[in-house]
């Protein structure tokens, strides 16, 4: 089994942000995670990534238990992530941003530079590689997030709303990039609000609301599920 | 190599000219060499053949070491430290105690002072690097005070407020000068190497965004410790040097918050945070500023008071001498308002302000 979240629970004080969600992700697939605002999607990422500790439950990756490990150890095991609210290392150039993360899988600095340059080209950031990351437009910042995560050579990539705030062309490019990442052999869990993105690229989707799973299935099954429609649009829209 | 050209020329100058103060015959050679330059420049070129200015230069070089170390932890790694005196004092006391308790030469302090400062930094960092930003800064402030109190209260070891006195090894200032110069060069080179390596990338990533760094696979806690320990070691060496050079220390002087810890911050900020040569420039400016205030404009104000027989000027002279800490405060305000990246960091801007006609071609 590649990745499994087993009944994960997270309480913040009295608030239950994630109330016992289980799911499996197979190697090579794109697994979508959808839900209305505040339904716990990013919290699930933070739990996988080790930013938050689990209140209950366990997470397994490649047969080993990763819940309880520190964030950098989880990254070392091969789980990369991007942030919904992008976190560029502002006063470093785009290249330096990616070099800093490429060091994880490189022994020397020249190896790290090679890997970083390769990753930057792969993500289409070539034209702005020597610009400071703080001055990039949002589409490039989102790409930088992906490039930095990819430079750690992840086996599983967590994409947190990488398409939010992009215009139509940029959206097409983002979808194209994500499918290229999959072709390169990286498994992806993606959180996304833009239905066009998540419906076209996901193999399977898990819909959650109020920290609980509603349903899981193919994009079509999920999109027509009455409870999903209720959660997003209200009960009146259930056909 | 090109960006290091000016500092290397300066280094060569600093290495050669002070010899004129002591070695017979050298002064004449230097004067001849200096005569190539315009007359007004010659005076300054022969500056460090003077013992008083040599003494100031030793202080500058010591502050280059401390400032560079502070710059590594605060400038590059972004963990602002108000506690450099803790490491400086530890280094100084290590050297002093070797001499008074074990009867060894205080010069062994160079071997022991650095590691001992690291020994203070290690448990402190282990615990306190869980704190972020201002909270960490407050913890370093506490470390500073804790170390000062230990040195004061542990009388059987440190003789408390009496402090430690040793006989200086050399009468001449020249050996001290070259040791300080070596230490300053060592710390700048050492930090330059570190900053351009994997560690440097990690340090700067941590400064820019700790959460992002952590999810890039960087063990932020560990690398903050690495940065702090290197900084503590260099600061400890500077402390050991101070014990040897000054010959006497006491808890109030070497664990002083405003004379050491704040001064280290000022050296960094004035010169330019996270620049290679910022602390060197900052050290020069800060030592000059504090000396001008300490001596009341090199006795100028007092002279003025005597000349004019004006009691008001006399009062001003008295207060200016005591107000050097205040001057630091004013300097910081000016720097933050006009040169937020320090003299080196904002050099292009400063250059345009000083020589408005030179920047036109760019």
């Amino acid at each position: 089994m590649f990745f499994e979240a087993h009944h994960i629970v997270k309480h913040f004080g009295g608030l239950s942000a994630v109330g016992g969600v289980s799911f499996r992700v197979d190697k090579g697939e794109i697994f979508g995670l959808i839900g209305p605002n505040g339904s716990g999607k990013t919290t699930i990422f933070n739990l996988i990534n080790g930013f938050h500790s689990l209140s209950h439950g366990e997470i397994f990756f490649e047969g080993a238990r990763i819940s309880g490990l520190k964030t950098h150890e989880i990254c070392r095991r091969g789980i990369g992530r991007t942030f919904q609210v992008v976190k560029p290392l502002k006063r470093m150039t785009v290249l330096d941003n990616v070099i800093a993360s490429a060091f994880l899988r490189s022994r020397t600095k020249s190896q790290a530079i090679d890997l970083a340059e390769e990753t930057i080209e792969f993500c289409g950031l070539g034209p702005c590689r020597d610009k400071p990351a703080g001055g990039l437009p949002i589409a490039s910042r989102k790409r930088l997030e992906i490039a930095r995560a990819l430079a750690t050579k992840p086996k599983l990539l967590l994409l947190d709303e990488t398409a939010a705030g992009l215009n139509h062309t940029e959206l097409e490019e983002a979808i194209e990039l994500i499918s290229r990442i999959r072709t390169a052999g990286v498994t992806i869990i993606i959180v996304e609000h833009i239905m066009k993105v998540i419906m076209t690229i996901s193999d399977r989707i898990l819909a959650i609301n109020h920290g609980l799973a509603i349903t899981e299935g193919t994009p079509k099954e999920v999109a027509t599920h009455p409870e999903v429609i209720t959660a997003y649009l209200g009960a009146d829209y259930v056909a | 190599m090109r960006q290091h050209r000016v500092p290397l020329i300066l280094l060569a100058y600093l290495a050669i000219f002070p010899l004129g103060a002591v070695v017979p015959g050298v002064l004449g050679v230097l004067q001849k060499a200096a005569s190539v330059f315009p007359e007004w420049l010659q005076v300054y070129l022969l500056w460090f053949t003077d013992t008083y200015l040599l003494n100031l230069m030793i202080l500058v070089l010591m502050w280059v070491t401390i400032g560079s170390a502070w710059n590594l932890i605060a400038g590059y790694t972004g963990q602002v430290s108000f506690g450099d005196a803790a490491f400086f004092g530890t280094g100084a006391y290590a050297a002093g105690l070797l001499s008074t308790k074990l009867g060894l030469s205080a010069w062994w302090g160079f071997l022991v002072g650095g590691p001992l400062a690291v020994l203070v930094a290690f448990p402190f960092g282990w615990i306190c690097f869980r704190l972020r930003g201002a909270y960490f800064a407050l913890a370093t402030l506490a470390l500073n005070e804790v170390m000062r109190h230990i040195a004061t209260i542990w009388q059987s070891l440190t003789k408390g407020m009496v402090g430690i006195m040793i006989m200086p090894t050399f009468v001449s200032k020249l050996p001290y000068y070259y040791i300080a110069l070596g230490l300053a060069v060592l710390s700048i080179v050492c930090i330059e190497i570190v900053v351009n390596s994997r560690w440097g990338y990690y340090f700067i990533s941590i400064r820019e965004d700790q959460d992002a760094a952590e999810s890039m696979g960087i063990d932020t806690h560990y690398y903050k410790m690495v940065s702090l320990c290197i900084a503590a070691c260099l600061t400890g060496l500077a402390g050991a040097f101070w014990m040897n050079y000054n010959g006497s220390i006491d808890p109030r002087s070497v664990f002083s918050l405003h004379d050491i810890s704040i001064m280290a911050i000022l050296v960094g900020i004035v010169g330019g945070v996270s620049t290679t040569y910022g602390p060197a420039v900052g050290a020069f400016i800060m030592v000059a500023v504090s000396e001008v205030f300490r001596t009341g404009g090199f006795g100028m104000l007092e002279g003025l008071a005597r000349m004019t027989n004006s009691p008001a000027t006399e009062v001003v002279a008295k207060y200016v001498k005591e107000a050097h800490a205040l001057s630091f405060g004013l300097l910081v305000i000016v720097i933050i308002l006009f040169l937020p990246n320090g003299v080196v960091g904002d050099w292009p801007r400063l250059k345009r302000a000083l020589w408005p006609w030179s920047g036109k071609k760019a």
Side-chain angles (χ1 to χ4, degrees):
Chain A
M1 182 213 324
F2 185 65
F3 177 89
E4 182 182 11
H6 185 71
H7 202 76
I8 53 175
V9 177
K10 180 66 189 176
H11 299 298
F12 291 111
L15 177 80
S16 155
V18 178
V21 174
S22 301
F23 59 94
R24 285 175 175 204
V25 180
D26 295 320
K27 200 169 168 58
E29 77 175 335
I30 296 184
F31 187 84
L33 204 55
I34 64 167
N37 288 330
S39 57
K41 302 179 300 287
T42 299
T43 309
I44 289 178
F45 270 16
N46 285 338
L47 291 171
I48 299 174
N49 172 246
F51 269 174
H52 297 326
S53 54
L54 286 165
S55 306
H56 290 290
E58 280 175 313
I59 298 173
F60 296 93
F61 179 61
E62 292 190 314
R65 195 178 148 202
I66 57 160
S67 37
L69 292 180
K70 288 191 183 130
T71 303
H72 64 90
E73 290 165 336
I74 291 171
C75 179
R76 196 167 282 271
R77 295 278 178 103
I79 300 183
R81 87 166 279 188
T82 69
F83 290 92
Q84 177 185 5
V85 181
V86 290
K87 294 177 181 290
L89 309 176
K90 288 187 185 139
R91 282 176 287 180
M92 294 165 92
T93 63
V94 169
L95 182 63
D96 283 344
N97 262 267
V98 185
I99 290 174
S101 93
F103 267 120
L104 182 69
R105 306 283 182 216
S106 326
R107 223 173 297 133
T108 63
K109 190 175 171 182
S110 63
Q111 275 178 5
I113 294 172
D114 288 346
L115 176 57
E117 281 176 339
E118 204 179 289
T119 314
I120 284 174
E121 286 307 319
F122 182 85
C123 296
L125 279 167
C128 49
R129 50 170 259 176
D130 293 321
K131 289 186 188 148
L136 294 179
I138 185 70
S140 308
R141 288 189 190 204
K142 295 267 183 187
R143 269 166 189 266
L144 177 58
E145 285 284 317
I146 297 176
R148 231 170 38 198
L150 282 180
T152 64
K153 292 194 180 163
K155 295 170 196 149
L156 174 66
L157 182 61
L158 313 177
L159 295 175
D160 198 350
E161 300 211 17
T162 38
L166 303 187
N167 67 29
H168 190 72
T169 341
E170 290 163 347
L171 216 56
E172 295 291 336
E173 286 166 359
I175 293 174
E176 190 262 342
L177 175 61
I178 294 168
S179 13
R180 268 195 295 134
I181 294 171
R182 189 240 289 264
T183 316
V186 181
T187 310
I188 295 170
I189 303 180
I190 180 167
V191 161
E192 195 55 72
H193 264 312
I194 301 173
M195 283 303 145
K196 188 187 167 192
V197 176
I198 198 128
M199 289 299 162
T200 37
I201 59 176
S202 308
D203 298 314
R204 284 188 306 132
I205 291 177
L206 172 70
I208 57 171
N209 195 17
H210 303 301
L212 293 167
I214 305 175
T215 182
E216 193 190 313
T218 62
K220 207 169 168 203
E221 285 166 12
V222 171
T224 51
H225 195 279
E227 269 189 65
V228 175
I229 298 171
T230 312
Y232 270 92
L233 303 168
D236 294 349
Y237 286 82
V238 180
Chain B
M1 217 52 205
R2 231 182 128 248
Q3 79 265 33
H4 300 300
R5 205 176 48 196
V6 175
L8 281 175
I9 294 170
L10 261 174
L11 177 64
Y13 165 71
L14 287 176
I16 295 167
F17 270 72
L19 282 173
V22 188
V23 185
V26 172
L27 189 60
V29 177
L30 289 177
Q31 274 165 342
K32 205 169 274 172
S35 64
V36 183
F37 295 95
E39 213 161 310
W40 61 269
L41 196 64
Q42 287 179 26
V43 187
Y44 298 106
L45 278 176
L46 295 170
W47 230 4
F48 299 123
T49 54
D50 180 88
T51 333
Y52 168 65
L53 288 169
L54 200 61
N55 167 49
L56 283 188
M57 204 55 210
I58 291 169
L59 288 181
V60 169
L61 291 169
M62 189 182 85
W63 280 107
V64 172
T65 307
I66 302 170
S68 300
W70 180 84
N71 193 29
L72 182 70
I73 180 70
Y76 287 106
T77 322
Q79 310 298 314
V80 176
S81 156
F82 280 83
D84 267 31
F87 311 129
F88 181 80
T90 305
Y93 265 93
L97 290 175
L98 278 180
S99 165
T100 56
K101 292 287 163 189
L102 299 178
L104 291 167
S105 158
W107 292 105
W108 289 107
F110 277 110
L111 276 185
V112 183
L116 213 62
V118 171
L119 220 60
V120 172
F122 195 86
F124 169 75
W126 189 261
I127 298 164
C128 293
F129 270 134
R130 281 151 233 271
L131 303 170
R132 290 193 186 187
Y135 301 100
F136 174 76
L138 285 174
T140 59
L141 196 64
L143 177 71
N144 192 142
E145 291 306 290
V146 166
M147 293 306 291
R148 188 165 62 85
H149 282 294
I150 289 175
T152 313
I153 294 164
W154 196 351
Q155 291 201 353
S156 57
L157 184 72
T158 64
K159 289 205 206 138
M161 290 305 283
V162 178
I164 295 176
M165 285 248 282
I166 59 166
M167 280 301 288
T169 321
F170 308 106
V171 181
S172 159
K173 292 211 181 297
L174 209 60
Y176 295 108
Y177 173 81
Y178 281 107
I179 291 163
L181 185 66
L183 214 53
V185 171
L186 173 85
S187 52
I188 287 181
V189 169
C190 174
I191 286 168
E192 181 71 4
I193 290 171
V194 165
V195 163
N196 282 305
S197 71
R198 172 194 300 259
W199 287 1
Y201 278 91
Y202 285 1
F203 293 167
I204 298 173
S205 303
I206 291 168
R207 174 190 75 193
E208 291 297 308
D209 196 309
Q210 195 177 323
D211 289 336
E214 186 72 26
S215 43
M216 282 153 63
I218 299 170
D219 187 345
T220 53
H221 190 257
Y222 174 79
Y223 284 101
K224 285 195 277 188
M225 295 282 297
V226 170
S227 175
L228 182 71
C229 287
I230 297 172
C233 183
L234 289 171
T235 314
L237 287 179
F241 169 78
W242 180 246
M243 175 77 251
N244 279 292
Y245 176 57
N246 199 44
S248 87
I249 55 167
D250 64 75
R252 257 195 317 199
S253 69
V254 292
F255 288 114
S256 158
L257 179 65
H258 62 272
D259 282 344
I260 308 291
S261 295
I262 304 287
M263 180 84 168
I265 296 171
L266 289 172
V267 164
I269 290 178
V270 169
V273 169
S274 62
T275 57
T276 312
Y277 298 110
V281 174
F284 196 88
I285 297 173
M286 285 317 297
V287 170
V289 167
S290 80
E291 189 67 9
V292 164
F293 270 86
R294 196 180 63 80
T295 57
F298 297 113
M300 194 181 70
L301 281 172
E302 279 164 321
L304 206 66
R306 264 199 306 279
M307 261 163 58
T308 54
N309 259 334
S310 133
T313 322
E314 204 169 324
V315 172
V316 169
K318 181 164 161 267
Y319 281 110
V320 162
K321 282 167 106 175
E322 284 167 10
H324 70 279
L326 181 71
S327 75
F328 288 180
L330 291 173
L331 193 68
V332 167
I333 293 171
V334 169
I335 287 283
I336 287 172
L337 278 180
F338 299 106
L339 299 170
N341 299 314
V343 172
V344 172
D346 276 330
W347 179 242
R349 240 172 93 190
L350 190 65
K351 207 162 123 185
R352 240 175 300 139
L354 291 176
W355 298 284
W357 57 87
S358 73
K360 287 286 190 289
K361 35 181 188 205

